[in-house]
Amino acid sequence: MTKQNRKIIYLDHAAATALDPRVFAVMRPFLKSAFGNPSSLHRKGAEAKRAIEASRKIIANIIGARTEEIVFTSGGTESCNLAILGLTRKNAEIRNAEKRGSRPHIITTAIEHHAVLEPVRVLQKQGWRVTYLPVDKAGFISSDDLKKAIRQETVLASVMYVNNEIGTIQPIAEIGRIISRINIERLNKGLPAITFHTDACQAAGSLDLNVNRLQVDLMSVSASKICGPKGVGFLYVRRGVNIRPIIYGGGQERGFRSGTENVAGIVGLAKALELATMHRQRENKRLISLRDYLIERIKRSLPKVILNGPEIDYQPISSKSNGRRFLRIGSRLNRLPNNLNLTIPGVEGEALMLYLDAQGICVSTGSACTTGSTDVSHILTAIGRSEKQSKQSIRITLGKTTVKKDLDYMISVLLKTIKLIRNHR
Ligand SMILES: *Cc1c(COP(=O)(O)O)cnc(C)c1O
């Protein structure tokens, strides 16, 4: 086959997903005829405004929130920044007014996305104290570490729902319960509550997003990871949680996020979330069986391969699980259905990725989110991989269009390529 007509096998769904045609269909009018500014008072404005509010309602229903608790943003990164910087700015104002001298404290994890780590680092430079919770070899934080990290001055805890590189699903509902319980004690002692934020960007396509079951106060979601458009997302802000904006201007989104709304994007985001939620159960089952097949085949041919992240132990999916099932450490349900992250001894991940790309197969060397960076992954380091092992790692993430035949082809190319690379060293 020639380069032009060869099929591309895309296995990097943690980085980006193809826009679902049904999502594009609902976005289309707002890219063309329905172009009005939602703030305009005439009919074209009202039309756009209606579309935004209908989308807000769809999302609020799915996540168990009130419509006024949803703030549309430009994506996951902005949502995380708004959560962290918005909350801490508001808190700093309160502390100044009350002339509290002690330094405020944030808890997060060692394996967060840069969208969380970077704003936290900025705050750290400004004098905030930060605890980065360590993770075990599968990427889980421990609830004991969390409890021990909490201080009188703790203002915010930010724990990602699903890790983007190794697919670890943190027990967010359990963490939410712990923080809620501690907040009740704090209230009795006259201490301010700890606000709980979760970066749910990788979770939104596959997992429960109900903010009450999860007991989160702030939650970040991006459309681009759930077959929606890029450059749009939302932040859930629980009523009573006070944040400041980080973008000022015309006062859109109730003042929390100024700037003319991305109407088509917002409509697409709502549709994408709706579709993901509707098909979640069946699609998760399908992806788990494809993913388990893939790892089994790879392990059979390459027994020295290390699976990074939660083990896949082929436990049957229990039917009466509901919610708590994600707590069973070591269960296949603690790993995102579509994720495999492998360390292949003796094979440079970057070389492998490029060889596979030359043959029409797209995988990742870990995080594509640090533009083109070849730095060692802070996530693989946190789970105990050496620098060498980190550089010998690739991430394979399946998605809506992935079928078994593609995986068979991928495996045959992968094995041939590994042999080639090893022989050339
Ligand atoms: C992709 C991603 C983000 C950033 O979302 P953008 O929409 O690209 O800004 C943040 N956190 C996680 C876990 C992600 O996977």
Side-chain angles (χ1 to χ4, degrees):
M1 266 191 276
T2 65
K3 237 192 164 97
Q4 280 73 34
N5 61 20
R6 189 177 47 209
K7 190 183 164 188
I8 301 298
I9 296 179
Y10 182 81
L11 295 169
D12 196 13
H13 290 85
T17 51
L19 190 68
D20 187 299
R22 293 164 290 183
V23 174
F24 181 57
V26 298
M27 291 174 68
R28 213 180 144 84
F30 298 96
L31 295 163
K32 297 186 83 184
S33 55
F35 57 82
N37 186 323
S39 298
S40 299
L41 297 176
H42 48 63
R43 66 190 62 215
K44 293 307 277 180
E47 177 181 45
K49 178 101 187 149
R50 266 200 310 277
I52 291 178
E53 295 318 314
S55 303
R56 203 187 303 280
K57 200 171 242 171
I58 291 170
I59 293 169
N61 276 338
I62 290 172
I63 70 166
R66 301 175 182 90
T67 49
E68 69 271 19
E69 294 173 318
I70 310 289
V71 179
F72 290 118
T73 66
S74 69
T77 303
E78 190 188 323
S79 296
C80 291
N81 273 259
L82 177 57
I84 293 160
L85 300 176
L87 182 90
T88 52
R89 271 184 199 177
K90 175 70 189 177
N91 185 268
E93 285 171 18
I94 296 169
R95 303 178 79 87
N96 282 341
E98 293 177 357
K99 296 197 166 48
R100 267 190 272 160
S102 53
R103 287 161 68 186
H105 176 238
I106 298 171
I107 298 169
T108 188
T109 81
I111 60 164
E112 295 295 309
H113 190 277
H114 289 285
V116 166
L117 286 180
E118 293 307 315
V120 167
R121 265 181 207 135
V122 167
L123 291 167
Q124 203 170 5
K125 277 191 200 135
Q126 293 170 357
W128 286 68
R129 290 175 196 273
V130 181
T131 302
Y132 297 93
L133 296 175
V135 294
D136 67 12
K137 64 185 185 7
F140 295 101
I141 62 163
S142 101
S143 48
D144 281 342
D145 286 343
L146 172 70
K147 285 180 205 157
K148 272 186 235 146
I150 292 173
R151 309 174 190 173
Q152 205 159 320
E153 302 306 321
T154 306
V155 168
L156 169 71
S158 188
V159 177
M160 74 195 318
Y161 197 161
V162 175
N163 183 268
N164 47 302
E165 285 187 35
I166 55 174
T168 309
I169 302 171
Q170 300 291 347
I172 293 300
E174 177 67 18
I175 297 165
R177 259 195 296 280
I178 291 170
I179 294 174
S180 298
R181 229 176 285 140
I182 288 170
N183 278 341
I184 293 168
E185 289 167 26
R186 288 169 74 96
L187 202 70
N188 292 335
K189 289 185 204 153
L191 290 171
I194 299 163
T195 302
F196 181 29
H197 168 246
T198 191
D199 171 359
C201 289
Q202 288 290 335
S206 322
L207 304 178
D208 182 20
L209 289 187
N210 185 289
V211 292
N212 302 313
R213 279 195 289 272
L214 296 174
Q215 301 202 34
V216 293
D217 303 307
L218 298 165
M219 180 170 76
S220 296
V221 171
S222 166
S224 71
K225 310 286 172 62
I226 56 170
C227 300
K230 290 172 187 63
V232 64
F234 71 86
L235 176 68
Y236 159 75
V237 184
R238 187 177 290 279
R239 185 153 78 177
V241 171
N242 291 314
I243 62 165
R244 283 280 180 239
I246 55 172
I247 294 173
Y248 294 89
Q252 288 89 343
E253 293 298 289
R254 299 171 57 245
F256 289 116
R257 206 286 185 170
S258 287
T260 304
E261 299 88 337
N262 175 1
V263 184
I266 289 168
V267 168
L269 164 64
K271 185 69 182 176
L273 191 62
E274 194 174 47
L275 289 170
T277 308
M278 205 149 55
H279 302 299
R280 190 163 74 198
Q281 251 183 339
R282 205 185 44 209
E283 181 64 358
N284 283 353
K285 240 183 224 170
R286 193 183 74 86
L287 290 172
I288 285 173
S289 91
L290 284 176
R291 193 263 321 266
D292 291 2
Y293 170 74
L294 184 58
I295 186 67
E296 240 177 26
R297 285 278 317 266
I298 291 174
K299 282 222 161 172
R300 209 183 305 148
S301 307
L302 303 162
K304 291 213 172 73
V305 159
I306 303 166
L307 175 66
N308 297 313
E311 280 302 321
I312 295 170
D313 61 5
Y314 312 106
Q315 276 177 26
I317 303 169
S318 117
S319 51
K320 52 172 174 56
S321 40
N322 227 0
R324 283 196 74 83
R325 65 186 173 186
F326 297 124
L327 300 180
R328 264 191 298 135
I329 293 192
S331 148
R332 67 204 325 225
L333 295 172
N334 284 321
R335 187 181 189 111
L336 199 67
N338 76 339
N339 172 290
L340 277 187
N341 189 309
L342 307 171
T343 296
I344 306 170
V347 179
E348 191 96 34
E350 189 147 304
L352 181 57
M353 188 265 282
L354 295 172
Y355 272 108
L356 290 176
D357 181 45
Q359 294 166 92
I361 297 170
C362 302
V363 300
S364 152
T365 46
S367 177
C369 308
T370 354
T371 27
S373 156
T374 52
D375 285 353
V376 166
S377 153
H378 66 284
I379 294 159
L380 294 180
T381 303
I383 61 168
R385 296 286 166 263
S386 66
E387 185 175 332
K388 189 170 160 198
Q389 285 175 322
S390 288
K391 289 190 168 160
Q392 297 179 339
S393 302
I394 59 162
R395 179 186 70 184
I396 302 167
T397 45
L398 321 184
K400 213 182 264 185
T401 55
T402 308
V403 291
K404 186 155 169 283
K405 175 167 66 65
D406 293 346
L407 296 183
D408 286 331
Y409 177 66
M410 188 267 181
I411 293 162
S412 73
V413 175
L414 180 78
L415 296 178
K416 262 185 257 164
T417 307
I418 288 173
K419 207 172 277 170
L420 188 87
I421 294 176
R422 280 181 174 158
N423 289 342
H424 278 255
R425 280 191 325 143

